[in-house]
Amino acid sequence: MRKTTIHLAIAAFFCLFATSCFKEPHVQGYLGDGIYLQGADTMYVTIGTKTASSTAWLDNSTKPCKFEIYDVRDEDGKHVDGFFKTFPTMLWTQPYDYLTDKTEADVLSKLQAQDLTPLMINSVNGQLRAMESTAMIGLKDGDVFHVDVKVSNSKGSKILEDYAILCFQKGADGAGDFVITDFVNGICIMNAAGENTFPFYDQINSGQTDFETRRQNIYTDNGKEKYVRVYKESAEPNPGIHVTLRFLDKNGNLFDPASYATYAGLVSYIDYSVNRQNTDKGLEMDFPVTPWPVKTDLYQYLRGPVFLNFDNMDFDALKADNLAGKIPYNAKWPSDNYQGANGWYVRLRSMMTFYQPGSYVIEVTVPYTSAI
């Protein structure tokens, strides 16, 4: 009995010793000192538009990492509370499908208003996103803010001061309301074999050395562009967008909007809109939310009415100017063996995104043509 008692006492001693000597294992993981937001040092944001940054460089930090906006400071270092207030913001709850979402009700059924802050961060990859509600917090053109971010993982957490610098811009007239990436206005001549040639081809895109100048002409609506005009008529509807498309001939007459169609089985603004109306103003289209079109990197192909003879074209003048090299870019004249030319139409290829709600006009003027 006594030996048992001694054994129990010894066991208890060693348990006490082991407990008193126990050390909590080191926390696993690594949180790098070199975490930063990839891309440019300054994130330029047009007030009232949705803009996203690149993602964070994690410096081999243990995943998962969690990112939070810690503070937003003005140039004097003062906290700016407006970035932490919430505003109703329309978000997609299901993917938009232009093939099935044909009515405004179809589109609205996939949208829901949520209260969100004007500046958000992806908690997993550190991407910053400015929302449309930056227009609601009193920002001015040229305002600069410093964003501090907290990043955490299994190792711990740290504050990344000046994780991003935000510079807000009003945008020059059209710039900010809409962005043009590509705009090509042309005349297409067809033949019976299904071959197409573009004897007139006015191209405005990054393939041209004068792209930025010509695009800025459109944004400022300064009248220097003879064949294209895009402008905002009013701030309504809000939310949503109303767009009027006009194909005009050399005299400013309107080609029949009822004949406007998507070109060659591709897609156009028609497919990405609802409530089509053919009026004496042009082809009118609606969409209940911006940005529009929903797919912002989509080429749009539109054509006007098809003419089966050349009575409405200054055929000889067009041919003469084309062969004399007076029409720039990719304009070509059908070769001598181009037989059976049996019609023509005007065509627009573009990539353009509207970011601000309101009513807009897209006006395409096609020389050498007569609508009536």
Side-chain angles (χ1 to χ4, degrees), residues 82-300:
F83 288 100
F84 296 88
K85 295 180 179 180
T86 60
F87 300 87
T89 306
M90 297 297 288
L91 295 178
W92 293 98
T93 59
Q94 300 176 58
Y96 169 74
D97 186 345
Y98 78 93
L99 293 172
T100 59
D101 300 330
K102 296 297 187 182
T103 68
E104 190 166 335
D106 292 334
V107 177
L108 290 173
S109 71
K110 294 184 172 183
L111 290 164
Q112 187 177 60
Q114 295 187 23
D115 289 334
L116 300 175
T117 56
L119 183 66
M120 303 174 65
I121 192 167
N122 185 305
S123 62
V124 175
N125 64 22
Q127 181 187 55
L128 288 171
R129 184 174 291 273
M131 310 302 286
E132 297 92 329
S133 51
T134 54
M136 307 295 290
I137 59 175
L139 302 182
K140 301 186 298 297
D141 186 31
D143 280 349
V144 174
F145 300 94
H146 299 255
V147 182
D148 302 333
V149 165
K150 180 180 179 181
V151 58
S152 310
N153 67 0
S154 59
K155 179 66 175 178
S157 63
K158 61 179 60 177
I159 305 300
L160 307 176
E161 292 189 359
D162 283 342
Y163 177 75
I165 297 175
L166 306 183
C167 181
F168 285 89
Q169 301 173 314
K170 179 180 179 295
D173 298 310
D177 286 338
F178 57 91
V179 173
I180 294 174
T181 305
D182 184 273
F183 204 101
V184 180
N185 168 10
I187 298 173
C188 178
I189 293 180
M190 311 174 297
N191 74 356
E195 299 168 327
N196 296 324
T197 301
F198 293 90
F200 174 78
Y201 200 83
D202 183 37
Q203 181 168 310
I204 304 174
N205 59 30
S206 59
Q208 311 305 315
T209 57
D210 59 355
F211 172 54
E212 290 298 340
T213 299
R214 296 194 66 189
R215 180 165 69 167
Q216 192 63 28
N217 289 340
I218 299 171
Y219 288 159
T220 56
D221 196 23
N222 59 18
K224 292 183 179 180
E225 295 300 322
K226 294 188 295 183
Y227 305 129
V228 55
R229 188 181 177 204
V230 183
Y231 61 94
K232 189 173 187 176
E233 283 191 306
S234 75
E236 297 296 330
N238 188 359
I241 192 165
H242 181 82
V243 175
T244 302
L245 171 68
R246 294 199 276 260
F247 280 115
L248 303 177
D249 69 8
K250 63 178 183 179
N251 298 313
N253 297 311
L254 180 68
F255 285 94
D256 182 10
S259 301
Y260 298 1
T262 302
Y263 170 76
L266 299 169
V267 293
S268 76
Y269 300 113
I270 297 172
D271 304 297
Y272 275 73
S273 66
V274 296
N275 302 336
R276 172 176 179 162
Q277 299 179 70
N278 306 310
T279 72
D280 57 2
K281 296 181 180 179
L283 166 60
E284 300 187 45
M285 303 166 279
D286 296 316
F287 204 73
V289 67
T290 53
W292 178 83
V294 173
K295 186 171 173 55
T296 58
D297 61 348
L298 187 69
Y299 276 105
Q300 308 274 338

Side-chain angles (χ1 to χ4, degrees), residues 29-38 55-65 67 124-126 151-153 155 158 160 163:
Y30 170 73
L31 186 59
D33 293 324
I35 300 174
Y36 67 92
L37 181 63
Q38 300 180 97
T55 57
W57 168 255
L58 298 180
D59 190 27
N60 295 315
S61 298
T62 303
K63 297 179 181 180
C65 291
F67 290 86
V124 175
N125 64 22
V151 58
S152 310
N153 67 0
K155 179 66 175 178
K158 61 179 60 177
L160 307 176
Y163 177 75

Side-chain angles (χ1 to χ4, degrees), residues 311-341:
D311 294 344
N312 292 70
M313 179 190 289
D314 293 340
F315 190 88
D316 292 337
L318 175 57
K319 180 178 180 179
D321 285 351
N322 183 290
L323 296 179
K326 295 182 179 180
I327 301 174
Y329 313 117
N330 295 324
K332 298 178 181 178
W333 189 255
S335 60
D336 291 340
N337 62 0
Y338 187 87
Q339 301 297 321

